[in-house]
DNA sequence: GCCCAGGTATAAA
DNA sequence: TTTATACATGGG
């Protein structure tokens, strides 16, 4: 059991784990403000008590898995200030959910999650992700892990029918094949120049500009990425004079603040 | 029942 | 090069 307080004072479990960036964290029914989820093969229950966060894991596991996963080495207080300074509406968005952090998720899982996300809603994305793990992942004693590329690459579209992922099933299989034996090295995209990284992502069937941007942001922490989904397009019309280039290295953070704010306040964005 | 969802592939203009 | 349409499914 590890007690930890982020040095920047920024973390809300609900804002971070249920803001549309990750789809496999669930509130613990009987716990207060606790969440349970799985990443990198490890399952964690995390809860909050005042300013402390309680991580139900060993010190080693916290240091190797969860500290980087929650991006605790980044100063989110400073990022919020920088984003908020660009426009009053951005200040509102950053103030609305000040506990958002951009998780450092597994590249392969993030790619699959946002392939599934296309023309889909968040509640249903969560369901498909849960079935994907239950059917093709392995059980670690507490939860199902995310299936490996090799496991999905061995599947046919009919095999994936129980997911009820619709037309996205064939996209998942193509992604799996590219990553498994097709020469697509997701880790290499962590440092590849962004235009080439985007191009590489989009070699996967079903991965266009938006999914590529999400996979790079959430899976490889390319924070200069700025996914333009339907909500963001609406939001941008309310940010006259603000250009995506203005966000620079903070684009991904800004996008997540705006996305969450817009989704929670649909009336403000037409 | 209807509308639409963290879009993209494909065809047509 | 830009614009239109199909796509599978189900949450609200």
């Amino acid at each position: 059991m590890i007690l930890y307080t982020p040095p920047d004072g920024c973390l809300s479990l609900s804002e971070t784990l249920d803001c549309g960036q990750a789809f496999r964290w669930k509130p613990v029914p009987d716990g207060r403000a606790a969440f349970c989820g799985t990443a990198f093969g490890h399952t964690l229950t995390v809860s909050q008590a005042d300013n402390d966060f309680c991580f139900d894991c060993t010190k080693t596991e916290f240091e190797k898995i969860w500290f980087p996963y929650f991006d605790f080495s980044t100063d989110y207080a400073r990022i919020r200030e920088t984003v908020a300074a660009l426009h009053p509406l951005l200040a509102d968005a950053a103030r609305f959910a000040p506990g958002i952090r951009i998780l450092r998720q597994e590249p392969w899982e993030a790619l699959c999650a946002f392939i599934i996300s296309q023309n889909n809603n968040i509640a249903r994305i969560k369901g498909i992700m849960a079935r994907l793990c239950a059917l093709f992942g392995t059980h670690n004693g507490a939860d199902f892990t995310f299936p490996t590329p090799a496991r999905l690459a061995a599947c046919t579209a009919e095999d994936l029918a129980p997911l009820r992922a619709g037309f996205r099933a064939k996209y998942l299989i193509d992604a799996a094949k590219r990553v498994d034996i097709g020469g697509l090295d997701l880790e290499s995209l962590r440092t590849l120049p962004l235009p080439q990284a985007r191009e590489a992502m989009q070699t996967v069937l079903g991965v266009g500009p938006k999914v590529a941007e999400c996979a790079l942001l959430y899976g490889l922490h390319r924070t200069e990425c700025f996914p333009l989904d339907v909500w963001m397009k609406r939001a941008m019309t309310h940010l006259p004079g603000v250009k995506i280039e203005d966000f620079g290295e903070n684009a991904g953070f800004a996008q997540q603040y705006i996305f969450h704010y817009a989704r929670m306040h649909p009336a403000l964005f037409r």
Side-chain angles (χ1 to χ4, degrees):
Chain A
M1 200 77 92
I2 298 293
L3 283 182
Y4 184 76
T5 304
D8 57 13
C10 300
L11 176 60
S12 158
L13 295 177
S14 61
E15 288 169 9
T16 294
L17 301 175
D18 193 22
C19 67
Q21 62 169 319
F23 304 94
R24 232 149 64 74
W25 287 91
K26 291 185 293 191
V28 177
D30 51 348
R32 305 161 309 288
F35 279 77
C36 183
T38 300
F40 297 95
H42 294 254
T43 298
L44 172 74
T45 296
V46 56
S47 59
Q48 180 172 11
D50 296 319
N51 290 329
D52 284 335
F53 289 87
C54 179
F55 291 77
D56 189 8
C57 65
T58 65
K59 185 170 190 292
T60 301
E61 192 180 333
F62 179 77
E63 289 169 354
K64 297 281 192 224
I65 308 279
W66 303 115
F67 183 91
Y69 183 83
F70 281 88
D71 197 26
F72 284 139
S73 62
T74 299
D75 182 353
Y76 279 77
R78 192 182 63 76
I79 286 169
R80 265 212 326 276
E81 287 176 22
T82 306
V83 169
L86 291 174
H87 190 282
L89 191 60
L90 291 173
D92 290 342
R95 196 183 310 116
F96 174 68
I100 286 182
R101 307 181 77 87
I102 301 292
L103 300 167
R104 293 178 184 262
Q105 302 184 56
E106 291 180 73
W108 163 240
E109 176 172 341
L111 173 59
C112 292
F114 286 94
I115 284 173
I116 292 167
S117 80
Q118 69 175 76
N119 200 53
N120 212 341
N121 60 70
I122 290 179
R124 187 161 170 263
I125 296 165
K126 289 178 179 176
I128 295 170
M129 288 288 283
R131 291 190 289 277
L132 183 56
C133 297
L135 287 170
F136 302 105
T138 59
H139 201 82
N140 66 6
D143 191 12
F144 288 99
T145 63
F146 195 79
T148 64
R151 180 71 183 87
L152 286 192
C155 292
T156 65
E158 306 86 77
D159 296 330
L160 298 193
L163 299 181
R164 287 169 281 157
F167 60 88
R168 305 164 193 85
K170 58 182 177 291
Y171 299 159
L172 290 173
I173 292 168
D174 187 68
K177 287 178 174 169
R178 299 279 175 129
V179 171
D180 185 37
I181 58 167
L184 176 57
D185 178 7
L186 293 177
E187 275 303 326
S188 75
L189 305 187
R190 204 177 287 281
T191 53
L192 198 66
L194 199 50
Q196 296 164 244
R198 286 175 170 135
E199 188 179 14
M201 277 291 188
Q202 293 184 39
T203 62
V204 176
L205 184 65
V207 174
K210 159 63 171 61
V211 172
E213 208 74 352
C214 287
L216 288 168
L217 172 58
Y218 301 111
L220 295 155
H221 208 75
R222 300 298 297 261
T223 62
E224 64 275 53
C225 288
F226 194 88
L228 266 176
D229 58 61
V230 288
W231 288 100
M232 290 306 302
K233 286 173 185 168
R234 285 178 207 168
M236 291 307 287
T237 66
H238 295 264
L239 293 168
V242 177
K243 301 289 180 197
I244 295 175
E245 306 87 77
D246 299 339
F247 293 120
E249 295 289 322
N250 291 324
F253 304 107
Q255 184 272 166
Q256 193 62 43
Y257 290 127
I258 305 166
F259 169 77
H260 186 61
Y261 184 63
R263 209 168 70 86
M264 294 299 140
H265 301 85
L268 287 179
F269 298 87
R270 182 170 52 99

